[in-house]
Amino acid sequence: MKEPDDQDADGEKSDRSKSDRRQSHSSRSPSGTAVREDHKSIDNTIGEGFTEGEESYIEDDESYVEGSSSSLQDDYAESLEESRYMETPAPDAEEAEEEVKRKISESFFYDYMELVSMPFVTPDSNIPLDLLTLVHSFGYDSRKRANLKLLESSIVMYIAGNQLIFLNLKTKEQSYLRSSSGVGIGVTGVHPDKTYFTVAEKGVFPKIIIYEYPSMRPYRILQDGTDLAYAYVDFNFDGTLLASVGGSPDHTLTIWNWKEEKPILRTKAFSQEVFKVTFNPEDDEQLTTSGSGHIKFWQMALTFTGLKLQGSLGRFGKTATTDIEGYMELPDGKVLSGSEWGNMLLWEGGHIKVELSRAAGKPCHQGPINQIMLDEGEVITIGSDGCVRIWDFETIDTADVIDETGLLEIEPINELQVDKNVKLFSMIKMNEVGNNFWLAQDSNGAIWKLDLSFSNITQDPECLFSFHSGAIEALAVSPVTYLMATTGLDCSIRCYDFAGKTPLLQMKFKQGGTALAWVPRLISYGGAQITAGFEDGVVRILELYDPKGLTVFVGRKKVSDADIRLKQVFKPHTAAVTALAYDCDGEVLATGSKDKTVFFFEVERGYKPIGYITTPGPVCQLTWSSSSHPESTLLIICEDGYVLEAPFPAIKEDKEDRDVVSYEIKDMCLKYFHFTSVKSKILRLIEIERRKKQKELKEKEKQERRKRLETAMGEDAEEELQEEEEEEEEEEEEPLPEIFVPSTPCHILCGFYSEPGKFWLSLGGYDSGFLYHCEFPPDDKSSDNTVRKDEPFDFRLLEDTEDNPITTITFSINREMMFCGMQNGAIRVYILSKNDSSLTSMEDYWQYNVHDNNYGRVNAISTSFDDRFLVTAGADSNIFVFNIFSEFELKKVVKAKVPSPRFGIETEPIPEDIEDPKAYSIENARRKREHDKLMKKVEEIKAGKREQIKALRNQLQKLLQMNEELPKHMQFKRTDFDLDSKIRAEIGKKTANKIQRVEKELAWEKEKHQVSLKKLQNRFRHSLENDIIVVHAIQSDHKISSYRLVKPSKYSKTKRASQSERRPSKFERFEKEGTGRKDSQRDTGGSISVPEESVIEKGKKFRPKTLSEIMVENQIEKTRKLILKAERAQIKIQQRKKEWEELYKSKPDDGYEDPKDVQAIKEAQLFMGDFNLKTASDYKIPEHMRINAAKKEEELGYLDSMAYSKKMHMNKSIISLRDLKVAVIEEIQCLVQELKNIQSTLPIFKHLPIPQVPQIYPEEVPEKRFQYDDETLLAFKQQQQVKSQDGKAHQVGQTAFAGSAGGFLRLSSGKEGDLTTRDSLSRASKASAFSLDLPKFIEFEKADPTDVELEIMKREEIKHVYMQQYLINRIKELIVTFDAELRLLRHQKLKLDTQMKLSDLHHVTLFQEMLLLKNFEKQENILQERVNSLDKEEQDMQWKINETLKEMEEKKNEVAKLQDQEKALYAGFQTALGENNKFANFLMKVLKKRIKRVKKKEVEGDVDEEEESEESSEEESSLESDEDESGSEDEVFDDSICPTNCDIGLFELALQLREKRLDIEEALVEEKKMIDNLKKEHDTLSKKVKIVATNLNAAEEALEAYQREKQQRLNELLVVIPLKLHQIEYVLYGEIPSDLSGSLVFSNRSLGRLQERIVQLHEENSKQQKLNKECRERRKQLIREKREMAKTIQKMEETVSQLMISKFGRVINLEALQTLSVNTTLEELKIKKLRKELSNVKEMKMWEEKIAQVRWELMMKTKEHTKKLHQMNDLCIEKQRLDSRLNTLQNQQGNAFQGPRKADIEARERVTELIQVQAERIQALKEEIALLRKKGGLLLPPIHHPQENE
């Protein structure tokens, strides 16, 4: 998006010229008089407020202040415009001295009365200026941006139209400040010191006026900041600068030096709407603007052309573009902004660094964030969702992107939900000490007081004031008292006592109100009823009463001054009700609506419907005729240009009304008027009249001129007159305005009756600017009312209403004043004559701008019942009450009287309200009733048809039955009964289509229910880890239940792995893999390159080396070995030195203490073994025991995870037990089946009772509740049908739910039971088949058994009896074993239940501690951060001190080196002089002479300081002191000339060494200076370290005190510890006291540890004494060994010295001897020389080969040229022969011809040319031969003749 760059100097000039043009334009505007008066007042006071000779922009304004004619102003503006672009010559010196700038005095103020806009009154009229006086304002423009400012703790300021209202929150009193422009106020701002406030106006080139508070005097005026209106203003942190941004169309950003009334910088902020501009509190040179789809960051930059305002547009990148309402500058330059979707955006460097949201992707606010603030280290955000949330500043400031989404999830510290239906727009902090109260602007029409302390005593949000939100649609005034009712689309009706300036009550509804009417006194004598129409077509009758008149009951709450109740409600319309009107007798109520109907109701009979009529367009106004009219008629005004007149409706009896199908009145005689535009005709008539008058004036002037000319000129006058007439005839007259009629009719805004059948109308759009007097045409039933076009018969011109029509009109009681509400929010009052229905006297008027000029259209205006007050309501949410001027004003304070309640009103039932907007209207309800009657008849006919079809079906069934009874060969086939097979196929097809259609129709419902089921499962089932499972014992009543477990909470997830256990992160793994990969690549790369190198090396190896190469390599190897040996010796010496240095460094000082000992002593002091009570006043919390909210949260999470794991383990055990029971039951079923098989073979008397098979209870398998099939669903459907048929919904609902659940369980468990039974049966059958081989008797004829058979039968019987007993015992054993397992597990669970209860108690304690720690966390973090910062600062300073000491040591070493160099210089010079040199003193003086040298440019300014430091230095060498002694003789000798007989070389050496000495001295001075500076820096840092250490100690003490306070608060928390009696050892007189508050709770382990510690301390003491004694003995021994070692070292040093003297003759440096090696430079030069010789030999050989090659080439060329010479010789011989033959021929034939022939001549010429060519070639060959004989000759190609080529 391209934005305009910062303006250059030319742009600034154009801005200045533009401002000048603006000023001249404003002087020519209609309000120029007021502007000139303002500037005259400025000029009058300029002498007081400005010093002499100062230039000011006010001087530029004098051009239109002093000028009187517009032509002069235009000329001046043009000249000024030209002068801005012309180069002005430089003023003379005298003029420049005179132009001294003037400043505005600090005590200068403007006159408020000269600035404020006044009402407009028609000139030369008797209308007083104070015709209307503002009394009170009941409105608040809550949707205006930043429309709530705080001046004092109890004074708030907000804009209301053209007024600035100051509201006292305590007394509820209001004071007002009037707009100066009269066009409205754009925005306000408050100075940081609350001593000034700004009012930024609206209008053409509006002003910014700065008022002083609390005097309210205009202090400064800023002009030319924008074109039409200001959008926002803001002071910088110091209040010295003011930033303003304009609205559409220019959006100009201006920085003002407001005290001097001068703009500093100006540029265009953006091309779209800009909402806000603010300074950075930390840096005045940075600003931020935001608005529609953008945010922009500004910087004041000083460029080579001057100070500029450079803007950087914020780039959204991947984030969607959003409007930005709220933002905040962070201290480090970043910006935090809101967004439309509720997330926060963190901007850095013009880009979004990170987007902040809440956990799980939730936005920070549900809707736009409207304001962001930083308060006390916390970030506060307010949003359109009505929430105030507090965020941690550090988390936001350090936020960064963690993944590709760009989102970072954070959670607020605290949050406050103000209320439902609250939309916070802005918030300001109240200046109350000790409280954290804020005032909030609710764009839904309220001002809230919020407590953001978030403590135990935090107050609930308090609604201080409540107002309408949005446009006020209707207003009604009581006909009895000073009561007023208003309504709007904010769904509320409000009542006010406008005389007492008190809001009384409000009543909320589901739909917005659109019309109001106060019921006349004829119906409600006390004026207690209000009729209201709403946007859903409902009309409600409300009753107002004073609740203090009701019967008082005991315990009743405080009663209010007024109350309202719903009396009656009905819905006559299907769209918004736009008009309500009672006739003058109060018999009929008429309601009009946008649904193009007018409904009539009979009031006396409880608003019984009479009927309705339809209108051509939406109704906008209803007016009944007054009592002066002969008949009561209703004037119906429609929006689209239609006006109707309806007569009084006829009231029917009840009997007549019953049989009517509709309420529509079709026989009502209506009169129609369709307005047609006549404005163009009126304008044409006005233009004709104007031209006619102009002609008459010209004729008069012409006659006068003729008379003057006749008297002056005589006869010549006629000729001149004729010429003038001809010129006038030549001038063509302009054409008249064309007749124009808009294609779409203009909307009628309002109207009223003038006479019977006549009325006035006010229209908008093109037809505005006039009041039209219209009359209904005579009735013509044959004409179409929609096509007709009617014109008004009269009109009244309204001044200045071309684009500002009248929207509403009302009259005073005596109709002498007509009050008009205008489109631009102004009030206009016309003074009329008595009984002037034609408005002939409507000329003089009084006009006052009240509401907002842009969107403050006056929707309603009304006077009080006694014409004392005027009330207006506008679309800008404002309600103003005015006092109407009267000569007889009442002195006493008036107050409205609320009507008393009717008798028995409290016992009357409140009628049921119509809340559903889709409810039937009266007409629709009647039509529905008729439709239901008709449908009932149709259903009866359908039922008869169904009966007939049923009879036919029965007859068919009988026929089919008879057919089946017949023999088969006589029976008809089923298809024979079909009349037509196609019919059956078609029916089947239709059935299939119907089924498919039904499935499609139910697809949405099916998916809806599936989604609902999934949501329910996700909400209630998926979050459940384990449901409750109750396992019952089989024989006893014991049972055990599992724990109902949800999935782990966030606390258990917050536990993080330690550093050792933590898995490496993705980034760490990537780095490891990356480095490994790089190493592998490097290795592979090396391996790949090896073969290539090896091939090259092999090639070199196979090539034989020359002797020279071998010599060079040997020399290099020899040199390398020598160098390597010297380097090894050097490294060894350096390593030994380093070891010695480290050894000496490790030598401890005399006061050195071992760190291990110090640490051990510290640990011993900390863990001495005593038990410090946390309640002690001197208790110091150890570092490892300090706790914070995060640690406590981890502890809480650990406790939860432990409890969760134990419960989970127990649940698994119970589930295993349940599975065991299932297995036991299955086995018992198998055994019972086997038992039944056995008993089938035994006689009955031997049968034992079969044990009962246990059952699985439903609560043992809760998961089967969620298993269902079609049968289950059908059963549930039947239950739902039964439920719908029953009358008792609640009881049936409960039973149905239980039944359905039971049904699910029963069916599913039954099926499972079948399965298990089937399985068990199969198992039993198998078991019986394999275990018992029961005999299968084949049925034969009965025979008596033999003895053997009887014996076998007895044996089998005995076996079966045994097996029967065994199986029964086995079943009992299984049951007993299972019950024992259950009881054992139940016992374990009871113990676990005890532990879980204790853990729950501990959980509560930990949670309370966590909450308490969170309250302490903020201040603790601040203190800890201060301690850390001070500690870091101390460490940094200590590091700097150490670095300074190191630098000082280095500088001292450098000084010592320089002094050594100086001594060496003198010593060397003394050696060069030798002994007995007679010029020694002279040369030494030359060397020591002090001279001044020209230093470098960098140190030119320090010459004198260096000389002084040299003279004052106390560390000069002894040689320099000698120089000072001989300094007096310096002037005697001349050191520029060498004396005779003196060695010139020594003299030159002395001069050179003197330069070196001076260099060394300068370096010494510099180093000493640096040492001094380092000493000063060291001293400064030492002092700072002490201060920081003191501050650090204080901060640590404060932190420790805060920790102690936190511990005390933690001690106050109650901790539950269950104890048994034997655990209580606190006994008094052998009994346990009743009060255990003085007891301590110890664990046995802690008590035992304390007792053991006593013994341990005794043992440690004896051990330490023994160890101390051993250490003393060891120390003595070490001292003795040290002495012996010193003696040994001394002896060895003497031995080494003697050996050196004996070997070398003197003591030498062994290190230098060891490191002595070859001269590497010499060896390298030798190798280089050898290589050069070898290369020269090679080069000589190469040149010799080249010479031989050239010689061979020369020989070949010589042979070739010899051959060519032979050819030339042959040619010469041939030529001679030809010449002789030619001569012979000439002699023979010459006689025959007299002259030469032409052919002969040509032949001769050719031959001559050939000879010449050959001669040239011969010459060239000779030259070439000569060149080849010379060595190194240059060969050129032979010269060819041109003809030869041819």
Side-chain angles (χ1 to χ4, degrees), residues 1106-1116 1727 1730 1734:
T1106 59
L1107 182 62
S1108 58
E1109 289 178 353
I1110 293 169
M1111 290 171 60
V1112 171
E1113 287 181 0
N1114 291 339
Q1115 187 68 25
I1116 291 172
I1727 293 167
L1730 187 60
L1734 293 172

Side-chain angles (χ1 to χ4, degrees), residues 35-73:
V35 175
R36 284 194 292 272
E37 290 174 358
D38 295 343
H39 286 283
K40 283 177 183 176
S41 66
I42 295 170
D43 295 334
N44 292 336
T45 55
I46 208 166
E48 301 171 6
F50 292 82
T51 58
E52 184 180 355
E54 178 173 346
E55 229 174 53
S56 175
Y57 70 95
I58 296 176
E59 294 176 0
D60 297 333
D61 296 342
E62 292 175 358
S63 60
Y64 63 84
V65 171
E66 298 174 359
S68 58
S69 66
S70 60
S71 61
L72 287 173
Q73 295 164 6

Side-chain angles (χ1 to χ4, degrees), residues 1454-1480:
E1454 289 179 4
V1455 167
K1457 288 179 182 177
L1458 289 171
Q1459 289 176 350
D1460 292 342
Q1461 288 178 9
E1462 189 177 10
K1463 289 178 182 177
L1465 184 143
Y1466 282 111
F1469 186 69
Q1470 196 70 37
T1471 305
L1473 287 177
E1475 296 179 359
N1476 300 324
N1477 192 333
K1478 60 180 180 178
F1479 294 102

Side-chain angles (χ1 to χ4, degrees), residues 1575-1788:
K1575 282 182 180 178
K1576 291 178 183 178
E1577 186 178 355
H1578 179 269
D1579 296 340
T1580 307
L1581 289 172
S1582 301
K1583 292 177 183 177
K1584 286 184 179 179
V1585 164
K1586 290 179 182 178
I1587 295 168
V1588 171
T1590 307
N1591 295 338
L1592 179 61
N1593 292 333
E1596 288 177 347
E1597 289 175 1
L1599 180 62
E1600 186 63 36
Y1602 196 74
Q1603 292 283 351
R1604 203 175 295 116
E1605 181 187 356
K1606 183 172 73 174
Q1607 186 62 48
Q1608 290 174 0
R1609 293 292 299 276
L1610 288 171
N1611 293 339
E1612 293 174 3
L1613 293 177
L1614 298 177
V1615 182
V1616 180
I1617 301 176
L1619 296 173
K1620 297 180 180 178
L1621 287 174
H1622 72 273
Q1623 291 178 282
I1624 302 174
E1625 298 182 2
Y1626 179 41
V1627 180
L1628 290 177
Y1629 305 109
E1631 294 181 355
I1632 297 174
S1634 59
D1635 184 14
L1636 295 175
S1637 60
S1639 61
L1640 289 174
V1641 181
F1642 269 94
S1643 63
N1644 288 328
R1645 182 180 174 188
S1646 301
L1647 196 60
R1649 187 167 57 81
L1650 287 173
Q1651 292 171 349
E1652 291 172 1
R1653 185 61 179 156
I1654 298 171
V1655 180
Q1656 290 175 2
L1657 287 172
H1658 284 301
E1659 292 176 357
E1660 286 179 7
N1661 193 11
S1662 59
K1663 284 181 183 179
Q1664 289 295 330
Q1665 288 177 355
K1666 187 176 179 182
L1667 186 64
N1668 187 17
K1669 187 175 180 182
E1670 291 176 357
C1671 288
R1672 287 178 182 275
E1673 294 294 331
R1674 175 68 177 160
R1675 181 173 178 275
K1676 290 178 182 177
Q1677 185 179 356
L1678 288 172
I1679 290 171
R1680 285 196 298 270
E1681 289 177 357
K1682 179 184 174 185
R1683 288 174 184 168
E1684 291 175 359
M1685 287 293 293
K1687 290 179 182 177
T1688 306
I1689 288 168
Q1690 187 176 1
K1691 287 179 181 178
M1692 291 177 72
E1693 285 178 349
E1694 291 174 356
T1695 305
V1696 167
S1697 300
Q1698 290 174 2
L1699 288 171
M1700 282 183 184
I1701 291 169
S1702 63
K1703 191 172 183 179
F1704 301 108
R1706 63 186 180 90
V1707 178
I1708 63 169
N1709 190 354
L1710 288 175
E1711 292 180 0
L1713 187 64
Q1714 287 178 354
T1715 57
L1716 186 65
S1717 67
V1718 296
N1719 191 342
T1720 54
T1721 308
L1722 181 62
E1723 294 297 327
E1724 286 175 358
L1725 288 172
K1726 286 180 179 179
I1727 293 167
K1728 192 174 180 181
K1729 171 178 168 289
L1730 187 60
R1731 286 177 174 170
K1732 190 68 177 173
E1733 288 175 352
L1734 293 172
S1735 64
N1736 290 338
V1737 169
K1738 287 180 181 179
E1739 191 174 355
M1740 287 173 66
K1741 188 177 180 182
M1742 181 186 70
W1743 282 110
E1744 286 174 356
E1745 291 175 354
K1746 283 184 179 181
I1747 290 167
Q1749 180 69 20
V1750 171
R1751 283 179 179 172
W1752 183 81
E1753 290 177 357
L1754 178 62
M1755 184 181 67
M1756 296 302 294
K1757 289 290 181 183
T1758 307
K1759 287 181 180 179
E1760 185 180 354
H1761 290 166
T1762 305
K1763 186 177 179 182
K1764 288 179 180 181
L1765 286 173
H1766 287 300
Q1767 290 176 359
M1768 188 180 67
N1769 189 22
D1770 295 339
L1771 289 171
C1772 288
I1773 294 168
E1774 181 68 21
K1775 180 191 173 192
Q1776 287 177 2
R1777 188 175 62 79
L1778 289 172
D1779 286 341
S1780 61
R1781 186 178 176 187
L1782 180 62
N1783 293 329
T1784 304
L1785 290 171
Q1786 284 176 355
N1787 293 327
Q1788 289 176 358

Side-chain angles (χ1 to χ4, degrees), residues 444-505:
N444 282 342
I447 297 175
W448 292 83
K449 183 179 180 181
L450 309 178
D451 184 2
L452 300 184
S453 59
F454 297 103
S455 62
N456 297 329
I457 57 171
T458 301
Q459 300 179 15
D460 292 334
E462 178 187 358
C463 183
L464 300 178
F465 301 94
S466 179
F467 309 93
H468 277 292
S469 173
I472 299 170
E473 296 293 327
L475 176 146
V477 178
S478 170
V480 179
T481 183
Y482 301 110
L483 290 177
M484 166 182 64
T486 58
T487 187
L489 296 179
D490 60 349
C491 308
S492 68
I493 292 179
R494 299 170 187 265
C495 291
Y496 306 91
D497 174 8
F498 56 84
K501 306 176 184 178
T502 308
L504 295 177
L505 58 91

Side-chain angles (χ1 to χ4, degrees), residues 262-281:
K262 293 180 181 178
I264 299 173
L265 293 168
R266 177 181 292 145
T267 186
K268 182 167 184 175
F270 200 63
S271 59
Q272 299 177 21
E273 186 179 2
V274 182
F275 299 154
K276 192 175 179 183
V277 59
T278 54
F279 284 95
N280 189 335

